[in-house]
Structure formats: structure tokens, C-alpha cells
Amino acid sequence: MPTDVTAAAPAVEAGPRRILGIALPTLGVLVAEPIYLLFDLAVVGRLGALALAGLAVGGLILAQVSSQLTFLAYGTTARSARRHGAGDDAAAVEEGVQASWLAGGIGVLIVVVVQIAAVPIAGAIAGDADIAAAALAWIRIALFGVPLILLSMAGNGWMRGVQHTRRPLIYVVAGLALSAVLCPLLVHGLGGMPRMGLPGSAVANVVGQAVTAALFLTALVRARVPLAPRLPVMKAQLVLGRDLIVRSLAFQTCFVSAAAVASRFGAPSVAAHQLVLQLWNFLALTLDALAIAAQTLVGSALGARDAPGARVVARRVTAWSEIFALGLAAVFAAGAAVIPPLFTQDAAVLDRTGVVWWFFVAMIPVAGVVFALDGVLLGAGDAAYLRTTTLGAALLGFLPAIWLSLAFDWGIGGIWCGLIAFMLLRLAAVSGRALSGRWVRTGADIPA
């Protein structure tokens, strides 16, 4: 079975070249879809405000029913990397087979349930009959992409685990490139294609998602491993997934609550909050690429029963992540007067942005450590600990601060104080766990 990273390389070899060899293609996968979504937005935007609103509502529904299942990628990477480190690549790929069965089954279930409930869901989110109708026309088609999205997550998961980092990027870019070609053709009826309007965007998305999923499934078949479902393996994956889903929901609760509170402080405040939050989300993607490198390398070292090697990987990846984060913080500090005006010329929004900008800059170095150690602990299969501490940080730091901001009229500065508290509590939790060494549990199986 071909590989992009030499399987025989010792796990302790975690220098810049090896880390970047995993992180850079992973970053490409992480940013490819957000870039395509901006293109999709630009194409649909030419249809007018109603189509844009429909796309926003439909996209929100699609994101909520698919993004909570990232365990199909992250959990599969942790389990597959262990098998790979133990020298059993067949078992590592079989983790991808079982994750793909889960992805298909859960995906079909989501399609059925959300199709049935689409009308009330769209109506509740849109709050306007015309917008809800536009969203429904899009989401009815786009939902058929959910199983395909989940299959791609599973494919990314096992390929990262066996350190195949380039092929997932090729698969994802191939699907998105096809969608990018079809989107303007179908939305606006160019090149002799039917003019479908907003639903054309959904059709283009599903076609591209089908190509990406088919490429991942073909890779599984070509690996020549058993393809039959194995319930014990799927059950173990679901147990790990449960912890990651709860953790993801904690993040969602925090950010939805923050947006709700920011909106109470007026349009300039919520606009400034959204602007800086989008920059934060982009930075999170870049740091997450290094975290995934940590997850892959740590899981492989532990699977090889190389505890010292796992500790070396943890230290090195965390150091590189922090160096990168400090560089990003310096860039955004220097650009405090230049970057926000690239997004808006509204004086009130820029004033509110200035309030939170330095909170944002201060959080970046903290994130460098937190994200890297998240990856280390995920690679070690320590999802239950991450679940519990993330919930604790949300309940003790983020949520109290943002609701006190509303009660005492602290403005969006109070909201971002809550986000800093959230990050600092997570920093204490993951640093303490990393230093304790209790995450270093070796073997091909993730300890229960």
C-alpha cells in the first residue's frame, strides 16, 4: 500500500520537515472548503438578497447536522494511527472501513430525519416565509450530500492515521474544483446548462461531494482489506465519538451564546464580534493542521509502544505550534490599524473592533499551546478528559462571563474576556494533563 510518509521512520523523528509534511497538506484540506464556500457565496450573491439569505439559512442547517460528527475524522485518526504505529496497516485501514459504514448509516438517517423536519426547521431559523422557501429549495437537495460529507471525514481520518497526507488533499480539491465549475453554470444557466438559480448551487455541491467520497471509497477498496461491517469496532468508535460530540456541542453552545449576547449590544458590536471571530476561526484552522500532525505522530508512537518517542513528539509539535502562533500574534498586532479596514469602512464597527482586537491578539499564543496539546491528547485517545475539561471551562469561564457582560452591560469586551477565560482554563487543563504523563498509554488499542 503506497504511503506519502515512510512508515518505518521512528516516531521520535518529529523535526520541522516531518511535522510540515503532515501539517501542510492537512491545512490544504481544512481551508479548501471555506475558500470554495466564499466562491459559492459570490456566485449566488448575483441572484440577489433573497437567494443569499436562503443560502445562509440552508448552509447553517447543513453545517449543524454534519459538523458535529467530526469524530469520524479525529476519532478514526487516533485509532488508525495506533494500528499504524504497531505495524498493522491492514487493521489501521480497517478502522477506516468501519468508520465509513458508520458515516453512511448515520448520514442516511440524518437525510431522512431532516427532510421530514425541514419545513419547521427552516421556518424557525429564517423567520420569514420567502427566505424559508428559498432555503428549503436549497436544503432539500444539499441534504443528499450529508452521507458523502461524512464518508469523506472517515476517509480523511484513516488516511491521516497511516500518514497518507497528500491523497486526501487531491481528493478534496478534485471534488471542490468540479463543484466550482458547475456552480456558475447551473446557478446562472451558462454554457447551455439549465438555469436552476439557488438550487443549482446545491446540485453542484452534491456532485463534487460525490466525487470526493467516491475517491475515498475507491482507496479503501484498493487497500484490499475486509470490507464487512464489524459491530465491536463500530461500537468502540462510537464511544470515542460520544466524547468528541459532547465536546463539540460545548463549543457550539459557547459561540451561539456569545453571538446572542453580542447582538444585544447593537449592530456595530455584533458586526465587530463576527469580524474578529471569523479571523479567529481562520487562525484556528491553521493551528489545527499542526494539532492533527501531533495527533497522527503521537498515536503512531504510542501504537509502537514508544512512550519516550510520544513525549518527544508532544514537546516538539507544541514548540513549533507556539512559535507559529507567536508569529501570527506579531503579524496581527502590527496590523491592528490596517487589517480591520480591509473588511469594513463603518466607523462604529471599527471602533468596536478596536475594543476586542487586543483580546484576540493575546489569545493567539495561548491557542498555540492549547491546540497542539489538544492534538497530542486526541492522538493518545484521551477524549474523555478533553470532553470533561472543555465542559468545565465553558461552564466556569466562558458562559458566566458572557452572561455577566449582558447583565452589567460590559459590552463585547466582556464577551472576549469570557473567551480568554475559556482558553486559559483549557490551557491549564491540557498543560497539567500533558505534564502528568497520564496520557501516555501504549499499545495498538486505545485504553478504555
Side-chain angles (χ1 to χ4, degrees):
M1 186 168 52
T3 180
D4 302 320
V5 180
T6 304
V12 294
E13 290 185 7
R17 185 172 181 177
R18 193 171 187 209
I19 294 170
L20 292 176
I22 296 172
L24 289 178
T26 300
L27 177 61
V29 171
L30 293 174
V31 303
E33 185 174 2
I35 291 172
Y36 168 74
L37 291 177
L38 290 174
F39 174 78
D40 188 24
L41 189 70
V43 172
V44 171
R46 295 182 178 275
L47 296 175
L50 181 60
L52 272 177
L55 179 63
V57 172
L60 177 61
I61 295 170
L62 185 67
Q64 292 305 308
V65 299
S66 60
S67 63
Q68 307 306 322
L69 299 171
T70 53
F71 79 89
L72 290 165
Y74 292 95
T76 303
T77 296
R79 293 178 57 83
S80 184
R82 289 258 185 171
R83 307 285 187 190
H84 174 70
D88 191 352
D89 271 7
V93 178
E94 285 183 48
E95 291 289 341
V97 172
Q98 303 311 314
S100 296
W101 278 109
L102 280 175
I106 295 171
V108 170
L109 181 62
I110 288 173
V111 172
V112 172
V113 171
V114 181
Q115 288 285 10
I116 293 171
V119 172
I121 291 173
I125 295 174
D128 177 273
D130 291 336
I131 295 175
L136 277 171
W138 188 88
I139 197 65
R140 291 287 192 197
I141 299 169
L143 277 172
F144 290 104
V146 171
L148 307 172
I149 293 169
L150 300 186
L151 283 168
S152 297
M153 285 185 186
N156 269 297
W158 74 262
M159 283 194 163
R160 291 170 185 167
V162 298
Q163 300 180 23
H164 291 208
T165 55
R166 296 188 184 97
R167 284 198 288 160
L169 177 59
I170 294 170
Y171 297 168
V172 168
V173 170
L176 291 176
L178 180 57
S179 293
V181 171
L182 288 176
C183 187
L185 298 180
L186 294 175
V187 170
H188 298 294
L190 304 177
M193 300 293 282
R195 190 179 192 279
M196 300 178 66
L198 180 57
S201 162
V203 172
N205 291 352
V206 172
V207 171
Q209 290 155 0
V211 168
T212 299
L215 289 170
F216 278 116
L217 289 176
T218 300
L220 275 180
V221 173
R222 292 180 64 185
R224 303 192 180 192
V225 298
L227 299 177
R230 294 176 56 197
L231 292 179
V233 177
M234 285 192 276
K235 181 179 178 181
Q237 290 179 345
L238 285 171
V239 169
L240 185 61
R242 173 199 62 199
D243 296 327
L244 294 176
I245 289 172
V246 171
R247 181 169 176 262
S248 177
L249 289 173
F251 286 125
Q252 290 293 325
T253 300
C254 287
F255 288 113
V256 169
S257 297
V261 172
S263 67
R264 303 303 194 276
F265 296 127
S269 289
V270 72
H273 172 74
Q274 187 64 20
L275 188 160
V276 181
L277 188 61
Q278 288 304 311
L279 291 172
W280 171 256
N281 288 339
F282 180 77
L283 291 183
L285 287 176
T286 61
L287 293 172
D288 204 29
L290 287 167
I292 290 170
Q295 183 185 4
T296 300
L297 294 171
V298 165
S300 182
L302 293 176
R305 299 188 180 279
D306 182 8
R311 292 188 178 94
V312 169
V313 169
R315 288 195 298 270
R316 288 184 179 175
V317 175
T318 302
W320 279 102
S321 181
E322 182 60 13
I323 290 169
F324 182 51
L326 287 169
L328 289 172
V331 168
F332 281 96
V338 177
I339 297 173
L342 296 176
F343 298 92
T344 180
Q345 294 297 317
D346 187 292
V349 174
L350 289 173
D351 176 69
R352 296 292 85 199
T353 300
V355 171
V356 299
W357 191 260
W358 296 105
F359 292 101
F360 163 62
V361 170
M363 282 199 311
I364 298 173
V366 178
V369 176
V370 171
F371 283 36
L373 291 180
D374 270 356
V376 168
L377 299 181
L378 281 173
D382 220 2
Y385 179 81
L386 290 173
R387 172 208 66 204
T388 301
T389 54
T390 301
L391 283 171
L395 293 173
L396 296 176
F398 200 168
L399 294 175
I402 62 175
W403 291 111
L404 285 171
S405 296
L406 179 62
F408 293 99
D409 198 25
W410 292 342
I412 55 172
I415 295 173
W416 281 75
C417 279
L419 186 52
I420 284 185
F422 180 61
M423 291 296 294
L424 289 174
L425 288 171
R426 289 177 63 202
L427 175 65
V430 295
S431 298
R433 187 69 163 182
L435 292 171
S436 75
R438 289 196 292 272
W439 57 276
V440 184
R441 296 173 291 176
T442 60
D445 293 308
I446 292 177

